[in-house]
Amino acid sequence: MSRRKSTYVTFSIATKLSVFACAALVGAAAFGAKKEPEKTETPSPNSKLVADIAVPFGLYPVKIEAISIVTGLPGTGSDPAPSPQRTALLDEMQTRGVTNPNAILASGKTSLVLVQGYLRPGIQKGDRFDVEIRVQSQSETTSLRGGYLMETRLQEMAVLGGSVREGKLLAKAEGDVLVDPTIDLKKEDPNKDRSAITRVMATRGRVLGGGVATKSRPMGLVIIPDYRSVATASRIENAINRRFHTYDNGMKIGVAKAKTDQYVELIVHPRYKDNIARYAQVVRAVALSETAAERMDRIKRLKEEIYNPETAAVAALQLEALGPDGTPILFEAIKSPDVETRFYAAEALAYLDKHEAAEPLGQIARDEPAFRVYALTALSSMQDVAAYDELRKMLASPSAETRYGAFRALWTMNRNDGFVAGEQLGDQFHYHVLDVAGPEMVHVTRSRLSEVTLFGKNQRFNLPVSVNAGPEIMINSTDTGEIAVSKFSVRQSDQKRTVSTRVDDVIRAVVELGGSYPDVVQALQEAKATNALASRFEVDSMPEAGRTYERVAANANGVRQAAAVEVTAASPTPELYAKKVVSYDTKGLKLGRSAEDDEAAKEKAKAEAEKKKSIFSKWFKRDKEEDE
């Protein structure tokens, strides 16, 4: 049995949970939080928006760590030195019925590793996330390339009264380890510092999408102390549910539920699943209560503010929270010559699923890098053919991040759409071959999920070519103008496939011979480095938040009035294109208090241990037989 057939082994190890910040006491419904949020201002006696009396809960990522084991290494592993980590690993192996666990750890095919992942805000049960792994600082392991992270149970852990208490199971992780394919330990580097960095990087890697959440993270609103009451919680629930609803088994339900006199739980609305921070802001911009006259006055004020670049973001968000009452102003604002006004209005309309938003967002995504990530995310949230058409146009863009960003938005919009659906190649990674115009490009990922995307279906390798795809597969050109993909393994007889020079054919041959995602990425990267791949090669080429835009003050006739000022978009950072997890904030949109504290200490309960001793023991027995 190959190492990739051992994916069913469960490896339960104690983990450590880091909570970045704490929120208010929200009762058992919110994991037993204890610490109250800090007050940042005195509440207004005439509070009208949810933001005036409640702060968001659950907008910080939760860091989880574990001790685990990587297997299948080609002799680059090591026997871990005595340490608490080694002791924990041995105890777990013995609990699983493994005989002579010390001999297993001493094998060059295994290595003790530290596993780290982040549960993003709003993550739901079954959602995937990346995990990062590394060896201990004094480890003698030289490389994790070719390794496989055994299935690892990730649990909460806290030190209470001088002893370690385990909590609830939060996630599981396993999969092929992706190490930077450019690292070559066989080549001597005269630069000692660079050589040391290379050795360190060889012992670090990622398992893309290898983590699976076993529990949904709650999010909600914590009512500030001066307003806490059952009646206030009920008012917030009713106000939000008048604006937002979703469906559960075909039944229409509100997204808000008052759990206690101080906590209102929120269901993530599907349209905001990739922009949780914006969802929290829109919810907090909902009016608790206002008369028809008060609403008209507020709409009149927002109509003025939407055309002021300094207030346009907040105005657009409040108009979005108004729902249908806010759309007439937004429809007019997308015609503005000012880019910021046009963008913020179109972004709000996109989350209201209005097709009029598609064209201005498409133009801004192509032409304005500072707003691109937000525009593409907004387009992905729409269920309208106009948004689909705009994204399809961008697949031929000369900009790598624009065309890949458009592809990811299309796949997020409808991953079953035949044009972008692709396939799960060899049960190893997502594979997409797009028949599109524009420069030929190969794109691979090192975050979120394992994925290879070809922009142009007839891409070919230049000859001659000689590259590796992992430790066992070699790719070489032949005298007949074809490419031979060969596998040499001590456990199996030699295998060989002869294919054309098409990139698609070579990738499929590698996977057919048992190659993994890291193997394919290594081959593509080596081919590009040796000029055997003529196509553009990109890794995680995605639009980014935080870019600046030059705001130019002009009069009604468009005449420049003052020097340009560099500003960044005031929209919250979406999750769709995040390369690593960061905490969300609400700066720039002053709707009241932002979350000063979050995720309080959760209730501690020992997770029920899964009993898979026989499977665990059989796997190590099989590995020992292969060594012999």
Side-chain angles (χ1 to χ4, degrees):
M1 183 186 296
S2 71
R3 63 183 173 83
R4 292 184 177 85
K5 294 293 185 181
S6 60
T7 59
Y8 304 102
V9 181
T10 299
F11 200 80
S12 176
I13 304 173
T15 66
K16 178 182 178 182
L17 172 67
S18 289
V19 179
F20 283 76
C22 296
L25 174 59
V26 296
F31 294 153
K34 298 178 181 179
K35 184 179 177 181
E36 296 184 353
E38 297 177 6
K39 293 178 62 176
T40 57
E41 59 186 67
T42 303
S44 167
N46 299 315
S47 299
K48 292 183 179 180
L49 301 182
V50 172
D52 292 317
I53 63 174
V55 296
F57 168 85
L59 294 189
Y60 282 80
V62 172
K63 181 180 179 182
I64 48 178
E65 299 172 293
I67 305 166
S68 190
I69 186 170
V70 165
T71 65
L73 297 172
T76 57
S78 67
D79 187 5
S83 67
Q85 291 83 3
R86 178 191 173 97
T87 300
L89 193 55
L90 287 172
D91 289 345
E92 184 63 30
M93 294 170 73
Q94 291 171 343
T95 300
R96 297 298 177 186
V98 178
T99 57
N100 200 3
N102 281 293
I104 300 295
L105 291 184
S107 168
K109 291 185 176 181
T110 66
S111 178
L112 182 153
V113 293
L114 308 179
V115 184
Q116 174 179 286
Y118 292 87
L119 297 178
R120 61 184 177 272
I123 194 169
Q124 300 297 297
K125 181 179 179 180
D127 286 355
R128 290 188 169 272
F129 60 95
D130 296 347
V131 293
E132 298 179 351
I133 64 173
R134 64 181 178 86
V135 300
Q136 293 175 285
S137 58
Q138 301 301 317
S139 173
E140 295 180 359
T141 296
T142 57
S143 176
L144 294 177
R145 179 174 292 165
Y148 190 92
L149 176 68
M150 298 300 294
E151 184 173 282
T152 306
R153 288 166 55 90
L154 309 176
Q155 301 167 261
E156 307 182 64
M157 191 175 180
V159 178
L160 300 175
S163 60
V164 176
R165 305 290 180 87
E166 294 181 357
K168 292 184 177 180
L169 176 70
L170 292 179
K172 296 179 181 179
E174 69 169 313
D176 288 302
V177 179
L178 176 63
V179 175
D180 188 346
T182 62
I183 294 173
D184 189 353
L185 295 175
K186 296 178 182 179
K187 294 183 179 180
E188 292 291 335
D189 193 327
N191 186 307
K192 293 183 178 181
D193 291 338
R194 192 164 54 228
S195 178
I197 293 174
T198 297
R199 289 195 298 271
V200 170
M201 295 306 295
T203 57
R204 296 186 177 187
R206 283 187 177 186
V207 181
L208 304 187
V212 181
T214 58
K215 184 178 180 181
S216 298
R217 283 192 63 198
M219 68 172 296
L221 298 166
V222 177
I223 302 170
I224 62 177
D226 290 4
Y227 288 97
R228 288 176 182 170
S229 71
V230 173
T232 299
S234 180
R235 284 178 63 205
I236 293 175
E237 174 188 320
N238 293 333
I240 294 173
N241 288 342
R242 283 194 296 269
R243 171 64 179 84
F244 289 104
H245 68 270
T246 186
Y247 292 90
D248 182 17
N249 294 323
M251 296 183 61
K252 183 177 178 180
I253 60 172
V255 300
K257 178 66 176 178
K259 291 292 188 178
T260 69
D261 64 346
Q262 51 196 294
Y263 180 66
V264 178
E265 189 172 76
L266 295 174
I267 298 173
V268 178
H269 191 282
R271 193 165 294 145
Y272 295 86
K273 69 182 186 303
D274 294 306
N275 203 340
I276 300 298
R278 184 178 186 86
Y279 179 52
Q281 291 177 344
V282 174
V283 164
R284 296 178 70 223
V286 170
L288 278 172
S289 62
E290 60 184 353
T291 66
E294 289 173 333
R295 174 164 288 211
M296 288 182 64
D297 287 343
R298 186 157 69 100
I299 291 175
K300 182 178 179 181
R301 173 176 56 80
L302 294 174
K303 185 175 182 179
E304 296 177 356
E305 293 178 352
I306 191 72
Y307 290 97
N308 180 349
E310 295 185 356
T311 57
V314 174
L317 194 133
Q318 288 200 32
L319 289 166
E320 180 182 333
L322 282 169
D325 289 348
T327 55
I329 297 174
L330 294 171
F331 285 144
E332 289 299 316
I334 60 175
K335 303 173 186 177
S336 170
D338 181 78
V339 173
E340 291 180 81
T341 292
R342 192 164 68 252
F343 164 68
Y344 291 120
E347 184 182 33
L349 286 172
Y351 288 101
L352 291 167
D353 204 26
K354 300 298 181 182
H355 72 271
E356 290 86 350
E359 184 177 353
L361 285 176
Q363 179 267 320
I364 289 171
R366 288 188 293 270
D367 302 339
E368 301 292 346
F371 300 105
R372 182 173 294 149
V373 65
Y374 312 102
L376 288 172
T377 302
L379 284 168
S380 75
S381 73
M382 299 176 64
Q383 298 297 317
D384 192 280
V385 67
Y388 180 85
D389 289 343
E390 287 294 329
L391 292 169
R392 280 287 298 265
K393 293 176 187 176
M394 284 183 256
L395 294 177
S397 170
S399 164
E401 70 169 52
T402 300
R403 68 194 315 203
Y404 179 72
F407 163 75
R408 177 167 286 191
L410 284 167
W411 193 74
T412 301
M413 182 185 288
N414 180 11
R415 62 185 58 189
N416 295 317
D417 173 31
F419 186 75
V420 296
E423 59 186 297
Q424 188 78 9
L425 197 60
D427 198 30
Q428 290 290 323
F429 56 90
H430 294 272
Y431 185 54
H432 309 268
V433 181
L434 306 180
D435 186 9
V436 296
E440 292 184 338
M441 185 176 85
V442 178
H443 186 278
V444 299
T445 55
R446 58 184 176 192
S447 60
R448 197 176 178 95
L449 77 169
S450 303
E451 176 191 84
V452 177
T453 306
L454 305 187
F455 290 83
K457 66 178 183 179
N458 292 315
Q459 301 182 54
R460 293 181 179 272
F461 285 107
N462 295 328
L463 300 183
V465 58
S466 180
V467 298
N468 298 309
E472 298 180 338
I473 299 177
M474 298 182 64
I475 301 171
N476 295 287
S477 51
T478 68
D479 294 337
T480 59
E482 297 176 301
I483 291 180
V485 183
S486 308
K487 180 177 182 179
F488 305 97
S489 173
V490 296
R491 296 187 298 271
Q492 302 172 345
S493 58
D494 295 348
Q495 301 178 64
K496 183 178 179 180
R497 301 287 187 275
T498 302
V499 297
S500 74
T501 59
R502 293 178 69 243
V503 174
D504 180 33
D505 291 342
V506 174
I507 289 175
R508 292 181 184 277
V510 170
V511 175
E512 186 179 340
L513 292 179
S516 66
Y517 177 69
D519 297 340
V520 171
V521 172
Q522 178 185 352
L524 291 169
Q525 203 151 13
E526 287 187 11
K528 185 62 181 178
T530 57
N531 297 317
L533 179 63
S535 306
R536 186 171 183 175
F537 182 73
E538 295 288 339
V539 181
D540 270 356
S541 181
M542 291 184 286
E544 298 178 353
R547 292 170 173 168
T548 58
Y549 164 78
E550 285 194 348
R551 176 188 292 165
V552 179
N555 60 22
N557 298 320
V559 178
R560 185 169 180 154
Q561 300 292 298
V565 178
E566 288 195 350
V567 297
T568 56
S571 294
T573 302
E575 168 67 21
L576 184 58
Y577 299 100
K579 295 180 182 179
K580 62 186 297 185
V581 179
V582 295
S583 59
Y584 296 125
D585 60 48
T586 54
K587 65 182 180 181
L589 292 177
K590 299 178 181 178
L591 297 171
R593 295 165 185 78
S594 60
E596 295 294 326
D597 299 310
D598 200 19
E599 294 291 6
K602 298 181 179 180
E603 59 182 355
K604 306 299 173 184
K606 189 170 184 177
E608 180 182 358
E610 294 188 4
K611 303 300 182 182
K612 295 187 178 180
K613 292 184 181 179
S614 59
I615 298 177
F616 193 79
S617 299
K618 287 178 182 177
W619 183 86
F620 280 112
K621 181 180 179 181
R622 187 271 308 160
D623 196 53
K624 182 178 180 182
E625 291 173 349
E626 286 184 357
D627 287 337
E628 296 173 350

